[in-house]
Amino acid sequence: MSFAVLFSLALSILHRLTSLVPTPDRNEPVAAAWYTGWHASGTNAFPLSAVSWDKYNTLIYSFAITTPSVNDLSLNGSDPPLLHHFVSKARAHGVAAHVAIGGWGGGLWFSPNVATPENRTAFVKTVAKFAKKHKLNGINFDWEFPNKQGIGCNAISANDTQNFLSFLQELRAKVGPKLTLSAAVSIVPFNNVSGHPSKDLSGFAKVLDYIAIMDYDVWGGWSSAVGPNAPLNDTCATHANQVGSAVSAIKAWTAAGIPVNQIVLGVPSYGHSFSVPPPNAFINGSEIELAAYPKFNASNQPLGNAWDDSSSVDACGILQGPGGTFNLWGLVDGGFLTTEGNPAPGIYYRYDTCSQTPYVYNETSQVMVSFDNARSFAAKGSYIRETGLRGFAMWEAGGDYNNILLDSIRTAAGFGGY
Ligand SMILES: *[C@@H]1O[C@H](CO)[C@@H](O)[C@H](O)[C@H]1NC(C)=O
Ligand SMILES: *[C@@H]1O[C@H](CO)[C@@H](O)[C@H](O)[C@H]1NC(C)=O
Ligand SMILES: *[C@@H]1O[C@H](CO)[C@@H](O)[C@H](O)[C@H]1NC(C)=O
Ligand SMILES: *[C@@H]1O[C@H](CO)[C@@H](O)[C@H](O)[C@H]1NC(C)=O
Ligand SMILES: *[C@@H]1O[C@H](CO)[C@@H](O)[C@H](O)[C@H]1NC(C)=O
Ligand SMILES: *[C@@H]1O[C@H](CO)[C@@H](O)[C@H](O)[C@H]1NC(C)=O
Ligand SMILES: *[C@@H]1O[C@H](CO)[C@@H](O)[C@H](O)[C@H]1NC(C)=O
Ligand SMILES: *[C@@H]1O[C@H](CO)[C@@H](O)[C@H](O)[C@H]1NC(C)=O
C-alpha cells in the first residue's frame, strides 16, 4: 500500500471517528432523557447498559450540584466515577453527553454564584472547566428556581433572572457555539425582580440552544385534589383546575420571547399517587366511572415504587415522608398495569381528554395514580410535531418500561426514522 493510500485511509477513518462525535446543529431536533447517577445501582437498578442509546440523540447525566463555593460543583450522590463511563458510552453511540447542574436539591447556591461580576466570572470558569474535564457536549442548567423558592432553602435574590442571563452571556462568550447550553425550566417563565413571571426573556434565546419545559409535577400530593401530573392542555378544564399545562407553558414562554424551535417539552416517565376513599373516587359512588379531580387524604401519602423511601432527609435537612412516585415500570410491578402498559384486570382506569393523561385506581388499597402512558405520550408527541417544538426530554430514562413511552413519543413527534 502506498503512503498516499495509507494516508487517505487514515484520514477517512479519522473522519468517521470524528463524525461519531455529535456536532451541535442549532436546529437539530432533540430526543433526550435525563439519566440519574443514583439509580445506576441498588434496588431496581438502571445501569448504563439498560439505556436505549439508539433511540436518543442526547442523554443528560444528573446531577452535578452547586456548592457553597463558586469554584466547585459536586457529583456527590450521583455516582461520580460513573460519569466517565456515561460519556464514553454516549460517544460510542453517537449520542451527545450532557450534564445537568442543579435539580430540586442541587441548586441551593446558584443565586450567590451569579450574584456579582466576580462570582459570575468564577462560576463561568468552574462550569467551563467541568465541561472540558468530562469532555461534555452540553450543560443543562436546572435552577429551581430563579427568584422563587423551590425546595425551601435555595438562596434567592430579586436580581436572579438578570444575573442568570449575564452569567450565561459570559459563559457562551467563553465556551463558544460548540457546547450545547440548555435550561430545564418551570411551566411559568423565570420571575422578574418583583417576583412575577418575566415578560421578556428573549436574551436567553440568544445564549441558550434551548429550554426544556418541565411539564410535570403540575398536580401532586401538595394539591387540593387528584389532578394530572403532566397535563398537555388545561384551557379546556374548569377555571379552578387551570393550574398549567404544556399548552399554557408554550404560550407563556413564547410570549416571553423564546421561539418554539428553541423549546423542548419535558415529559415524565412517572406519576403521582394519592389515597382516595371509594366514595370520592367514583362518580356517584357507582364503582363504574372514576371521578375527575377527586379529593384525597393528604395525611396518608401512599408509598411509591421501589425507588421511593418511606422517609428521607432532603437537601434542606428536613425529614420528608414518602414521595409517592410510581414510574411506569413501578405501575407494572405494583399490579396497576399489565406488561403491555394496559390497565390490569380489577384496576379502574380513566383517560382525561382535556389534560390527555390517564389515571388508575385500586379500590382495595384506595390508591389512585395520575401518570402517563403510550396514549398520553402519543398526544404529547403529536403536539410537539404540530407546534414545531424542538423535541422532547424525558425525566427519567430509567422510568420507562420496555420503551413503551419512548417509542410512543418518538413515533408521534416524528423521530421514527432517526
Ligand atoms: C455527600 O452527601 C452526603 C449526604 O447526602 C454527606 O453526608 C457527605 O458528607 C457528602 N460528601 C461529600 C464529599 O461532600
Ligand atoms: C460570591 O461567592 C462566594 C463564594 O461562593 C460567596 O461566599 C458569596 O456570598 C458570593 N457573593 C454574593 C454577593 O452572593
Ligand atoms: C439588583 O441590581 C440593582 C442594579 O442592577 C442593584 O441596585 C440592587 O442592589 C440589586 N439587588 C440585590 C438584592 O442584589
Ligand atoms: C414584573 O412583572 C409584573 C407582572 O407582569 C409587572 O407588573 C411588573 O412591572 C414587573 N416588574 C418589573 C420590575 O419589570
Ligand atoms: C386545548 O383546549 C382548547 C379548548 O379549550 C382547544 O381549542 C385546543 O385545541 C386544545 N389544545 C390541545 C393541544 O389539545
Ligand atoms: C350522577 O348523579 C347525577 C344526579 O343524580 C346524575 O345526573 C348523573 O347522570 C350521574 N352520573 C353518573 C355517571 O351516573
Ligand atoms: C386519612 O389518613 C389518616 C392516616 O392514615 C387516617 O388516620 C384518617 O382516618 C384518614 N382520613 C380519612 C377521612 O379517611
Ligand atoms: C389492590 O391492592 C391490594 C392491596 O394492596 C392488592 O392485594 C391487590 O392485588 C391490588 N389489586 C390489583 C388488581 O392489583
Side-chain angles (χ1 to χ4, degrees), residues 88-305:
S88 308
K89 272 241 184 238
R91 200 71 89 242
H93 286 89
V95 170
H98 295 197
V99 165
I101 298 178
W104 185 245
L108 309 190
W109 308 98
F110 271 123
S111 183
N113 283 357
V114 300
T116 61
E118 296 74 29
N119 279 11
R120 286 195 289 274
T121 300
F123 197 47
V124 160
K125 223 172 125 187
T126 303
V127 171
K129 223 172 93 186
F130 183 88
K132 196 169 173 195
K133 175 181 172 193
H134 295 287
K135 301 188 168 66
L136 304 177
N137 303 106
I139 295 285
N140 175 248
F141 290 95
D142 193 350
W143 179 349
E144 302 184 18
F145 306 95
N147 192 20
K148 190 178 186 173
Q149 200 44 253
I151 190 170
C153 64
N154 52 301
I156 287 182
S157 154
N159 292 342
D160 279 347
T161 295
Q162 179 51 47
N163 292 344
F164 190 19
L165 178 57
S166 302
F167 160 77
L168 289 171
Q169 286 166 340
E170 194 173 332
L171 178 63
R172 177 58 85 195
K174 177 154 177 98
V175 300
K178 278 199 171 170
L179 190 69
T180 301
L181 299 179
S182 65
V185 305
S186 125
I187 54 174
V188 286
F190 298 143
N191 272 354
N192 67 15
V193 292
S194 38
H196 296 101
S198 303
K199 289 260 180 333
D200 182 8
L201 295 172
S202 55
F204 285 87
K206 295 197 177 74
V207 286
L208 292 175
D209 289 273
Y210 54 84
I211 59 169
I213 297 179
M214 298 183 284
D215 180 39
Y216 36 77
D217 304 330
V218 176
W219 293 75
W222 54 89
S223 304
S224 57
V226 179
N229 176 41
L232 175 60
N233 205 354
D234 69 329
T235 58
C236 36
T238 62
H239 185 73
N241 293 330
Q242 292 185 9
V243 172
S245 64
V247 167
S248 78
I250 301 309
K251 191 175 165 201
W253 280 97
T254 52
I258 311 292
V260 282
N261 69 355
Q262 282 180 266
I263 299 178
V264 163
L265 187 63
V267 295
S269 58
Y270 67 89
H272 287 295
S273 63
F274 306 81
S275 174
V276 185
N280 299 9
F282 296 104
I283 295 176
N284 298 345
S286 62
E287 296 197 0
I288 298 169
E289 206 179 320
L290 291 179
Y293 299 96
K295 294 274 182 266
F296 64 96
N297 185 349
S299 50
N300 191 24
Q301 174 61 57
L303 185 65
N305 57 221

Side-chain angles (χ1 to χ4, degrees), residues 371-395:
F371 70 112
D372 271 85
N373 62 6
R375 181 175 173 189
S376 67
F377 260 46
K380 287 177 168 79
S382 302
Y383 176 72
I384 288 166
R385 187 172 36 75
E386 286 158 12
T387 314
L389 301 182
R390 184 72 155 266
F392 68 88
M394 182 168 77
W395 182 275

